[in-house]
Amino acid sequence: MQTLSLAATRRAALAAQGFADARPAGPPTRRHLQRVLDRTGLLQLDSVNVAVRAHYAPVFARLGSYPLELVDDAAWSHSARRPRLLVEYWAHEASLLPVADWPLLRWRMRRYESLKGKHWKAAHSEPQLISDVLAAVKELGPVGAGTLERELGGPGKLGKGGWWNRSNTKIACEYLFAVGELTTGARRGFERLYDLTERVVPQEIHSLPEPSLDEAARRLVERSAISHGVATETDLRDYYRLGVQPCRQAIAELVEDGVLEPVQVEGWRNLAYRHVDAKMPRSVRARALLCPFDPLIWERARTERLFGFHYRIEIYVPAELRKFGYYVFPFLLNEELVARVDLKADRADGVLRVQGAFAEPDADRTRVAVELADQLREMAEWLGLSGVWIGARGDLAKHLRKVI
């Protein structure tokens, strides 16, 4: 069995995620976006908008400055000339994934149909509401849950206060989204506007026979392997949140067919698998700010194995207990994660605020500051902000202030 060095494995992972690709020489196009999607497989969605929405950031990390409409048009508009590329569903988490991959998650939709938990109680106990919501979406869609509530007479509330204080109509929409009857036809701001899935997913995809769980798992594990380059079973399973047994069976079949090759990685306790087409570049020259939901780093244990970089998102940590900040972007420089910055897009003042800047222990702070400053300026310009403001927190802050 081949043994890979950690450095080679890291380069394979970076190449698999698109960081060995040359950035566009001119303005990024739909073709460049497609190349990113071929590498990442999906873009995670998240409601936090402190710096920039999570689904936009990985594209910027790989392409540099681009118009946000490039992603918006791919996800939420359709025409004969520019067909929809992406559709929303639960993949890693709430995600935008290629429309061709939508059938591979239908097994998950069937499982949601069978759930009888507290959250779905309203959906199961009010079949007429489900029918009414579908009829209203058919007539009005794309349409938001609030509009549906008003159209349907505003059903009563469940629970008292907090996130779970949702109307029965909202829960019915979420249920219908989970089981694949509804999806996001468009978005207004970040509000999901529901539409019938059959009107969003192209008919030639929507009408395909539902693959078995085994077939879907095999295809999803192969997609996961392409996006990892080299990965453990846990890594491969996590990308699409697959079950243990279907993932193991898929790996065994892919190994038998020569698609995956078992390898040992220097310093890793568990066996890993290299995709047969994984690139193994001699070096990677990259520079990128990675949002907390970038697929290169969203599996924190893998991030630590690959880069020796302990990373946790601190959104839910009380302010006085945060070590690095609320919404921290690791900074990738060539083949290493060398720093982290707590970022906020202050649109009122027109600046990108670096509320904390921290170098990794062995990093050359002067060099990192110069490279990071360029990347921060590019991000500020991309977000339509006039400049970068550096706060006092962190051992890298004073170095950044000297070069910005």
Side-chain angles (χ1 to χ4, degrees):
M1 184 181 298
Q2 185 180 12
T3 297
L4 300 178
S5 70
L6 182 58
T9 302
R10 188 184 303 126
R11 290 193 293 271
L14 289 166
Q17 280 288 314
F19 290 103
D21 296 338
R23 285 192 172 189
T29 65
R30 194 175 176 91
R31 178 175 61 84
H32 296 113
L33 174 62
Q34 184 62 66
R35 187 184 70 187
V36 171
L37 297 173
D38 289 343
R39 302 287 191 266
T40 65
L42 48 78
L43 300 170
Q44 186 174 337
L45 294 158
D46 191 79
S47 60
V48 176
N49 193 27
V50 176
V52 61
R53 298 281 185 196
H55 57 290
Y56 296 124
V59 181
F60 171 72
R62 290 154 180 79
L63 296 183
S65 185
Y66 73 96
L68 300 185
E69 293 77 16
L70 197 63
V71 172
D72 292 343
D73 290 347
W76 298 302
S77 68
H78 176 82
S79 68
R81 180 170 166 270
R82 298 172 72 84
R84 185 188 298 262
L85 295 179
L86 299 165
V87 65
E88 288 189 36
Y89 193 63
W90 296 103
H92 179 74
E93 292 286 343
S95 303
L96 292 169
L97 66 153
V99 290
D101 287 351
W102 182 84
L104 301 181
L105 279 306
R106 295 183 77 170
W107 60 270
R108 183 166 286 156
M109 300 171 198
R110 301 292 80 80
R111 290 195 174 177
Y112 277 123
E113 283 181 346
S114 67
L115 291 178
K116 306 295 183 182
K118 182 178 179 181
H119 187 45
W120 294 146
K121 184 178 180 181
H124 288 296
S125 64
E126 298 190 47
Q128 186 58 50
L129 175 60
I130 297 295
S131 297
D132 289 347
V133 168
L134 282 172
V137 171
K138 183 176 182 179
E139 178 183 352
L140 302 171
V143 60
T147 300
L148 288 171
E149 285 180 6
R150 292 190 293 274
E151 291 291 325
L152 298 174
K157 299 289 184 180
L158 293 181
K160 294 182 179 179
W163 193 78
W164 291 103
N165 186 7
R166 295 183 170 190
S167 73
N168 290 4
T169 303
K170 175 63 174 174
I171 292 174
C173 289
E174 290 181 343
Y175 171 77
L176 289 166
F177 180 90
V179 302
E181 295 290 332
L182 298 181
T183 188
T184 306
R187 280 189 180 263
R188 182 170 51 228
F190 198 65
E191 179 191 10
R192 180 186 284 161
L193 302 182
Y194 294 97
D195 205 349
L196 301 180
T197 303
E198 64 196 51
R199 295 198 299 216
V200 174
V201 176
Q203 183 59 32
E204 63 270 20
I205 301 296
H206 191 269
S207 61
L208 287 173
E210 181 174 339
S212 67
L213 173 57
D214 289 346
E215 180 185 352
R218 178 188 167 106
R219 291 167 66 184
L220 289 171
V221 168
E222 183 171 3
R223 280 162 170 69
S224 177
I226 290 170
S227 295
H228 281 96
V230 178
T232 65
E233 175 195 315
T234 304
D235 297 336
L236 294 172
R237 189 168 74 237
D238 176 75
Y239 212 74
Y240 291 95
R241 299 293 166 85
L242 298 170
V244 173
Q245 189 53 44
C247 182
R248 286 181 177 171
Q249 179 175 325
I251 289 172
E253 292 175 0
L254 290 166
V255 169
E256 184 175 355
D257 291 347
V259 177
L260 297 182
E261 174 193 4
V263 294
Q264 296 285 351
V265 176
E266 181 183 58
W268 288 14
R269 182 178 61 185
N270 295 324
L271 187 68
Y273 301 89
R274 185 183 73 87
H275 191 276
V276 65
D277 294 328
K279 294 181 180 178
M280 306 288 286
R282 291 181 179 274
S283 65
V284 174
R285 296 189 62 81
R287 189 175 70 184
L289 286 161
L290 306 173
C291 86
F293 305 104
D294 192 290
L296 179 67
I297 59 169
W298 67 28
E299 214 297 288
R300 310 306 190 205
R302 175 176 170 84
T303 301
E304 196 156 358
R305 272 186 280 116
L306 269 177
F307 297 99
F309 188 89
H310 182 81
Y311 179 52
R312 299 292 184 271
I313 191 167
E314 297 183 276
I315 289 175
Y316 306 109
V317 176
E320 66 275 11
L321 298 179
R322 291 179 195 138
K323 185 175 181 182
F324 297 109
Y326 182 80
Y327 203 69
V328 173
F329 283 62
F331 179 50
L332 172 70
L333 184 58
N334 297 331
E335 300 170 18
E336 298 179 324
L337 296 177
V338 296
R340 55 191 96 202
V341 283
D342 181 20
L343 297 182
K344 178 180 179 179
D346 187 337
R347 292 167 178 87
D349 288 344
V351 296
L352 180 63
R353 293 193 179 276
V354 180
Q355 303 183 115
F358 307 84
E360 288 300 283
D362 296 332
D364 179 339
R365 287 165 175 74
T366 300
R367 173 172 174 263
V368 168
V370 171
E371 300 282 357
L372 177 56
D374 283 346
Q375 195 66 19
L376 290 167
R377 291 189 195 98
E378 184 179 3
M379 175 177 271
E381 183 178 356
W382 172 56
L383 296 176
L385 303 171
S386 59
V388 179
W389 175 91
I390 309 297
R393 293 184 62 244
D395 60 350
L396 192 57
K398 64 180 181 181
H399 297 275
L400 274 177
R401 278 196 297 272
K402 289 179 180 178
V403 294
I404 285 188

